[in-house]
Amino acid sequence: MRPHRLRSTLITALMLATATVSATTSATAHTSTAPASATAASSLSALTELFAERLLLADKVAAAKYGTESPIDDPARERQILDDVAARAAGLGLDPDSVTAVFRDQIEANKLVQRGLYARWDAHPDERPTERPDLAKEVRPALDLITTRLLAVLQEAAPVRADASCEPRLYAAATGSAYEHRLDVLHLRGLGRALPSVCSTD
């Protein structure tokens, strides 16, 4: 996407998110015991920042796998990640099922970006990566570091995740992260796919 179109898309998204936050905050003002605004915004922004960073690493994952026999879908690796975060979540006093759902969304978001990149590179050979990152030595350690940081932020964000204000605040935070990282349409779609399980309100 051209820079001016990207800015326009993000500005529109930001305006919509802000309007949603305002409307929802007004509607729930008398029924919600929301955490302090600054704390809520900080923890959710930290989450969406990590989501965006993880999505950008999908480019390296795709570059490492493209043109090889390594598939985008790797059920064994995915199960290993989910089992690991479930165990670590329990150790942090978090609900393993809730945390697993969040990380499952991250995996699906990552694969969405990878598939989009594959399609782009198939259609435009001149845009194909010229270097192949080392998946085991370079990419996965970076993903593992983000996993550790995400678990810590999920622990910090537990109160706001269960609050009625979570969803509008989350989408506002995601819009800010999208703008900060200058995400294109594909990565914006990925970021949207990464969000559904964050808020745990009933």
Side-chain angles (χ1 to χ4, degrees), residues 32-43:
S32 172
T33 56
S37 178
T39 301
S42 175
S43 59

Side-chain angles (χ1 to χ4, degrees), residues 3-171:
H4 72 279
R5 292 180 61 193
L6 172 58
R7 286 194 297 271
S8 177
T9 298
L10 290 175
I11 290 169
T12 300
L14 180 58
M15 291 172 64
L16 290 172
T18 302
T20 301
V21 171
S22 177
T24 304
T25 300
S26 175
T28 60
H30 300 292
T31 60
S32 172
T33 56
S37 178
T39 301
S42 175
S43 59
L44 291 177
S45 292
L47 278 179
T48 58
E49 282 294 304
L50 290 170
F51 292 169
E53 289 178 24
R54 199 178 192 283
L55 280 173
L56 292 172
L57 280 173
D59 294 35
K60 290 191 173 183
V61 176
K65 292 182 176 182
Y66 187 74
T68 74
E69 294 182 358
S70 297
I72 290 177
D73 289 278
D74 188 348
R77 168 72 176 169
E78 293 169 22
R79 186 72 263 162
Q80 180 184 16
I81 293 171
L82 295 177
D83 288 346
D84 175 62
V85 297
R88 293 166 67 182
L92 292 171
L94 298 172
D95 174 38
D97 290 339
S98 174
V99 171
T100 298
V102 171
F103 276 89
R104 185 178 291 111
D105 282 346
Q106 306 318 301
I107 291 171
E108 292 304 319
N110 193 285
K111 292 192 294 186
L112 184 156
V113 171
Q114 289 183 59
R115 293 190 186 100
L117 290 172
Y118 273 34
R120 182 184 300 171
W121 297 337
D122 286 344
H124 303 283
D126 58 306
E127 296 184 15
R128 292 174 183 174
T130 56
E131 298 182 357
R132 192 180 301 282
D134 190 310
L135 196 58
K137 295 181 179 180
E138 177 185 353
V139 184
R140 284 180 176 165
L143 289 170
D144 291 343
L145 179 59
I146 289 177
T147 292
T148 298
R149 292 165 63 195
L150 272 173
L151 284 166
V153 177
L154 284 169
Q155 184 180 34
E156 178 185 330
V160 70
R161 290 184 64 211
D163 191 84
S165 69
C166 177
E167 188 167 301
R169 292 184 185 279
L170 174 67
Y171 280 86

